[in-house]
Amino acid sequence: MFVMGLKDPHASIIKTTMASRGASETSKLRQNMEEQLDRLMQQLQDLEECREELEEEEYEETKKETLEQLSEFNESLKKLISGNMTLVDELGGMQLAIQAAISQAFKTPEVIRLFAKKQPGQLRTRLAEMDRDMMVGKLPRDVYTQQKVEILTALRKLGEKLTTEDEAFLAANASATLSHFEKVTASLGSEDKIMALASSGVGKTPT
């Protein structure tokens, strides 16, 4: 006899199992994406560290190749998360960070990596270390300014509150490329940011 309103006891178990499996697969996928991004960021970092040993043409060519690999990775990521709000939430920040790298709004591999992994605490720690290094003369002012602007922009994109001083520093020192990146991604939801970046040309590899 069929009783109306009686729920299948297995349905909730199946739903919970599917949700758990989905969360596990999303976690593995994120880990895989982070590993790929780490590899590309390491390539950029190694390149910058070896710059003095390379001919300018060799440096530029290698950097271009790495940025092209980043663009390909970004396209794969875009297709992967298209229409999937769970993945947009998980990986949308990573795509923003990759777009910043491709457009060269951000040029510091470690900052890009921390931005992609949504690590505001580690970004603030790096900034504090930079402040100390600059005060004792270990870090040139131009390098300090560039990296501080990148960190402050990343923090703002991650929803962190900036001090009035930091906001003023950002306004005074942001490059045209970074300002465009900021403008395109300001006041938009994660999915909108991705679509806006894709259509604006911010994510295109510089030629």
Side-chain angles (χ1 to χ4, degrees):
M1 179 180 177
F2 181 75
V3 181
M4 291 294 291
L6 189 65
K7 293 183 179 180
D8 181 353
H10 298 293
S12 60
I13 296 172
I14 293 170
K15 191 177 290 186
T16 301
T17 302
M18 288 178 68
S20 176
R21 184 182 300 165
S24 175
E25 287 174 357
T26 299
S27 177
K28 287 177 183 175
L29 181 63
R30 180 180 179 84
Q31 184 180 354
N32 181 262
M33 294 294 105
E34 286 181 350
E35 286 172 357
Q36 289 188 56
L37 181 62
D38 281 345
R39 179 179 58 80
L40 290 168
M41 288 302 100
Q42 191 61 51
Q43 279 182 218
L44 279 178
Q45 192 164 319
D46 290 345
L47 181 62
E48 292 304 320
E49 289 173 357
C50 297
R51 184 169 188 173
E52 300 285 322
E53 304 165 22
L54 300 172
E55 296 288 337
E56 187 63 22
E57 186 178 343
E58 185 180 3
Y59 166 80
E60 292 296 341
E61 184 63 31
T62 306
K63 185 168 186 177
K64 183 181 176 184
E65 287 174 3
T66 304
L67 290 175
E68 285 172 353
Q69 289 177 48
L70 262 176
S71 292
E72 291 169 5
F73 177 52
N74 187 53
E75 285 301 311
S76 299
L77 191 59
K78 186 160 58 176
K79 289 175 184 174
L80 187 67
I81 67 180
S82 179
N84 187 324
M85 288 310 297
T86 299
L87 291 180
V88 167
D89 290 341
E90 281 288 320
L91 302 174
M94 181 182 292
Q95 189 166 29
L96 277 180
I98 293 169
Q99 297 279 16
I102 294 168
S103 67
Q104 296 194 58
F106 282 31
K107 297 182 180 182
T108 312
E110 184 59 22
V111 175
I112 297 165
R113 184 187 285 121
L114 294 175
F115 180 15
K117 293 184 177 183
K118 299 181 181 179
Q119 297 288 341
Q122 290 187 43
L123 284 166
R124 289 190 183 279
T125 298
R126 182 181 175 91
L127 184 55
E129 291 170 352
M130 284 166 47
D131 286 338
R132 288 195 298 271
D133 288 347
M134 218 272 289
M135 287 177 68
V136 300
K138 287 175 64 179
L139 191 65
R141 179 166 285 279
D142 60 337
V143 175
Y144 169 81
T145 298
Q146 176 191 311
Q147 293 192 16
K148 182 170 181 176
V149 165
E150 292 177 18
I151 289 173
L152 293 178
T153 301
L155 286 171
R156 189 151 70 181
K157 290 300 174 194
L158 292 173
E160 294 289 298
K161 181 76 173 173
L162 300 184
T163 65
T164 305
E165 285 181 8
D166 285 342
E167 291 283 6
F169 183 92
L170 202 49
N173 294 287
S175 66
T177 304
L178 192 58
S179 295
H180 180 55
F181 175 78
E182 272 279 336
K183 184 178 178 183
V184 168
T185 60
S187 304
L188 294 171
S190 295
E191 195 167 28
D192 293 330
K193 287 177 184 176
I194 292 164
M195 296 307 295
L197 281 164
S199 63
S200 72
V202 168
K204 294 179 180 176
T205 306
T207 54

